Amino acid sequence: MGGGVRILVAFLALAVAGYGVTRCAAQLRQDYYAAVCPDVESIVRAAVSKKVQETPVTVGATVRLFFHDCFVEGCDASVIVVSSGNNTAEKDHPNNLSLAGDGFDTVIKAKAAVDAVPQCTNQVSCADILVMATRDVIALAGGPSYAVELGRLDGLSSTATSVDGKLPPPSFNLDQLTSLFAANNLSQTDMIALSAAHTVGFAHCGTFASRIQPAAVDPTMDAGYASQLQAACPAGVDPNIALELDPVTPHAFDNQYFVNLQKGMGLLTSDQVLYSDDRSRPTVDAWAANSSDFELAFVAAMTNLGRVGVKTDPSQGNIRRDCAVLN
Ligand code: HEM
Ligand SMILES: *[C@@H]1O[C@H](CO)[C@@H](O)[C@H](O)[C@H]1NC(C)=O
Ligand SMILES: *[C@@H]1O[C@H](CO)[C@@H](O)[C@H](O)[C@H]1NC(C)=O
Ligand SMILES: *[C@@H]1O[C@H](CO)[C@@H](O)[C@H](O)[C@H]1NC(C)=O
Ligand SMILES: *[C@@H]1O[C@H](CO)[C@@H](O)[C@H](O)[C@H]1NC(C)=O
């Protein structure tokens, strides 16, 4: 090796090391808890499996909770905090977010299981537990299993006002969806892949009532599906009725969501628009045809979602003792 090359190599090594030092604290990584709680993933998985067996609706509830957590103040478990006397928390925003209780319960139970191991007590963040639990419910429902990045801290605040404008309403069109996801560093492809989370879980009649008005059924909806929905939601917006987002394979985490869109059987406007709009239709068609391609894109998008607004510096967050209460 010539002297010049050796100097260059040394310089590069220094540059890489320097980058590591300055960026290290701000990086998520897969083995984050290897030293302090090496079995954290299997502890969480066992707690989540038990919860899903007892209460299958846990699957959709947990996946949606993760999405809402990340889009409001970053993936920091701020969505799990309960309101206190002087503070209305994220989860109590008045727009009827209807986050199902089983998602919260899953995180609380998994946290208790982790904390029951002396070495792990108060070592693992609620934000990371939600990320692991989400991965686990998806795998339990037949979806892909994937390695998750860890090292998020829990947020120091949770306010209802912080939710305003951060979450997509079901009426959004493609441009609106794309720009809201772009604000979270997610591409249109990520957005389409993540929307397939609607392959599991439920939506209340009010979220699609405007599409099934007898006098004006949304022309992008299959007529037979519209009649079924009208029969199931007779009063239009009965707040107690929720229907399966994927009417064909409601409990399986699969690519049926995209096949449904091809047939005019997307439940929400924001679902069906992914097929109606020429710009996203080729992606829907590709993933309806090839579930491996969908799974690859979904895992990449979930990894990107898990990076949104994460807090890794101790000045920005901590490890909450009780996921529902700020320390
Ligand atoms: C693309 C924009 C999105 C819109 C407009 C949207 C909207 C909605 C709405 C209105 C519901 C029904 C809520 C109810 O009536 O209780 C729902 C449910 C759900 N959403 Fe989304 N969502 C979007 C993206 C996502 C993403 C990115 C994920 C996760 C990666 C997700 C996961 C879920 C799940 C799993 C449910 C079912 C919840 C349950 O069964 O408890 N959604 N979504
Ligand atoms: C609520 O009030 C208590 C007691 O006055 C105070 O210690 C606490 O910081 C307040 N919390 C918030 C979120 O304002
Ligand atoms: C939330 O739901 C309740 C009960 O269904 C309803 O009375 C209220 O108007 C809803 N609030 C909003 C903001 O939609
Ligand atoms: C689906 O995509 C995978 C990965 O890109 C590819 O290897 C496979 O051949 C495709 N399958 C079909 C049926 O096209
Ligand atoms: C998006 O990425 C940029 C550059 O990495 C980063 O500064 C910003 O905080 C990220 N935004 C969110 C919402 O994660």
Side-chain angles (χ1 to χ4, degrees):
M1 196 187 281
V5 173
R6 204 175 306 136
I7 287 164
L8 178 62
V9 168
F11 172 75
L12 281 177
L14 270 176
V16 169
Y19 182 79
V21 168
T22 51
R23 289 297 306 264
C24 198
Q27 295 272 324
L28 300 176
R29 55 177 214 266
Q30 290 176 8
D31 64 348
Y32 187 81
Y33 295 106
V36 293
C37 184
D39 295 331
V40 64
E41 304 222 19
S42 57
I43 299 167
V44 169
R45 190 176 304 112
V48 171
S49 301
K50 183 164 181 284
K51 171 73 188 169
V52 169
Q53 272 161 25
E54 290 165 1
T55 319
V57 297
T58 292
V59 174
T62 304
V63 177
R64 185 166 182 238
L65 190 64
F66 168 62
F67 168 50
H68 282 219
D69 185 32
C70 295
F71 264 42
V72 180
E73 305 288 316
C75 313
D76 67 349
S78 52
V79 73
I80 299 171
V81 172
V82 293
S83 295
S84 56
N86 49 9
N87 181 54
T88 306
E90 260 175 60
K91 73 190 280 282
D92 293 325
H93 187 275
N95 75 351
N96 289 342
L97 298 171
S98 65
L99 287 164
D102 289 305
F104 299 88
D105 192 43
T106 300
V107 176
I108 302 293
K109 287 198 156 99
K111 166 78 167 166
V114 170
D115 282 353
V117 176
Q119 187 186 7
C120 303
T121 309
N122 297 331
Q123 299 293 328
V124 181
S125 71
C126 301
D128 281 343
I129 289 175
L130 178 53
V131 169
M132 289 183 262
T134 300
R135 179 267 313 275
D136 294 338
V137 297
I138 289 168
L140 286 164
S145 189
Y146 48 91
V148 290
E149 297 177 332
L150 301 169
R152 299 164 191 77
L153 293 175
D154 296 325
L156 303 176
S157 67
S158 172
T159 62
T161 48
S162 68
V163 177
D164 292 327
K166 302 284 176 51
L167 294 167
S171 56
F172 261 15
N173 65 29
L174 187 71
D175 288 320
Q176 292 168 316
L177 291 168
T178 302
S179 71
L180 183 61
F181 278 67
N184 289 286
N185 288 340
L186 298 169
S187 67
Q188 185 177 84
T189 304
D190 289 333
M191 182 275 289
I192 300 167
L194 292 169
S195 294
H198 292 172
T199 181
V200 292
F202 299 86
H204 290 81
C205 297
T207 63
F208 52 86
S210 63
R211 305 188 64 208
I212 58 169
Q213 299 300 307
V217 171
D218 183 332
T220 66
M221 184 180 277
D222 173 77
Y225 186 44
S227 329
Q228 284 173 31
L229 296 174
Q230 286 164 348
C233 293
V237 292
D238 184 330
N240 298 310
I241 303 176
L243 303 186
E244 288 153 342
L245 278 153
D246 171 358
V248 180
T249 58
H251 308 297
F253 202 101
D254 57 14
N255 68 337
Q256 182 66 39
Y257 171 81
F258 297 109
V259 178
N260 292 344
L261 299 185
Q262 291 176 315
K263 295 176 173 161
M265 290 175 69
L267 187 54
L268 308 177
T269 297
S270 60
D271 295 317
Q272 195 58 47
V273 76
L274 302 178
Y275 187 73
S276 312
D277 195 303
D278 293 342
R279 294 168 294 173
S280 44
R281 187 184 301 159
T283 306
V284 170
D285 285 336
W287 292 341
N290 189 322
S291 97
S292 322
D293 282 344
F294 156 60
E295 290 192 348
L296 284 171
F298 180 77
V299 168
M302 286 293 274
T303 304
N304 290 337
L305 178 56
R307 291 174 181 167
V308 174
V310 296
K311 302 167 172 80
T312 52
D313 188 281
S315 66
Q316 306 168 302
N318 58 28
I319 291 177
R320 228 173 271 153
R321 286 184 292 275
D322 176 344
C323 295
V325 181
L326 300 174
N327 283 358

